[in-house]
Amino acid sequence: MFYKKKVVNLIGTYECKADAKGRLMLPVAFKKQLSPVLQEGFVLKRSVFQTCLELYPMQEWNLLMQKMNKLNRFKKKNNDFIRKFTAGVKMIEIDATGRLLIPKDLVSFAGITKELVLSSAVNIIEVWDKDQYEKAIDDATEDFADLAEEVMGFDDEISID
């Protein structure tokens, strides 16, 4: 299957509310940014590193699954990883009004109450309980300078033309 990838680089962090059934209205800014891929659907899953959820546009999920499908399943650690990575994965559609339903098991995993934060993470959206999000940001602030240097502080490259 060959298709041209629609590039989705998401920008923004937005607060919103979930109703008693776990439905939330996608912020208009995200809806506009996702408009090229809105009809393709989404995958919602547990985060590997945080107690939040990750909302993948379907094409981003498919690209990730292509990489994962290259893992040798006759290695136990690969099978264990795949099982844990895909635990609780759900296909999600955004309705005509821009709402999406977070399944109860994922609401429970992320400790979601009424107040939410939706935060862009390049090509996916993280879905957080507001209090958990604030705590994660506060906890990360202390080490952020060191982390930024380690991750982005590449050696200076000198090019000679």
Side-chain angles (χ1 to χ4, degrees), residues 59-75:
Q59 73 176 13
E60 295 295 337
W61 179 257
N62 289 338
L63 290 171
L64 184 58
M65 290 299 100
Q66 285 175 4
K67 290 179 186 176
M68 198 165 294
N69 202 30
K70 293 176 182 174
L71 294 174
N72 181 345
R73 294 202 178 177
F74 287 98
K75 290 186 178 179

Side-chain angles (χ1 to χ4, degrees), residues 33-87:
Q33 292 175 61
L34 290 167
S35 65
V37 297
L38 213 52
Q39 298 306 313
E40 296 169 19
F42 296 84
V43 170
L44 189 64
K45 70 173 286 302
R46 301 171 184 185
S47 173
V48 172
F49 300 108
Q50 301 287 340
T51 54
C52 69
L53 305 175
E54 297 170 341
L55 183 68
Y56 286 77
M58 191 57 74
Q59 73 176 13
E60 295 295 337
W61 179 257
N62 289 338
L63 290 171
L64 184 58
M65 290 299 100
Q66 285 175 4
K67 290 179 186 176
M68 198 165 294
N69 202 30
K70 293 176 182 174
L71 294 174
N72 181 345
R73 294 202 178 177
F74 287 98
K75 290 186 178 179
K76 184 181 180 324
K77 69 178 180 180
N78 291 353
N79 251 350
D80 291 348
F81 171 76
I82 292 168
R83 184 178 311 107
K84 288 184 180 181
F85 185 81
T86 58

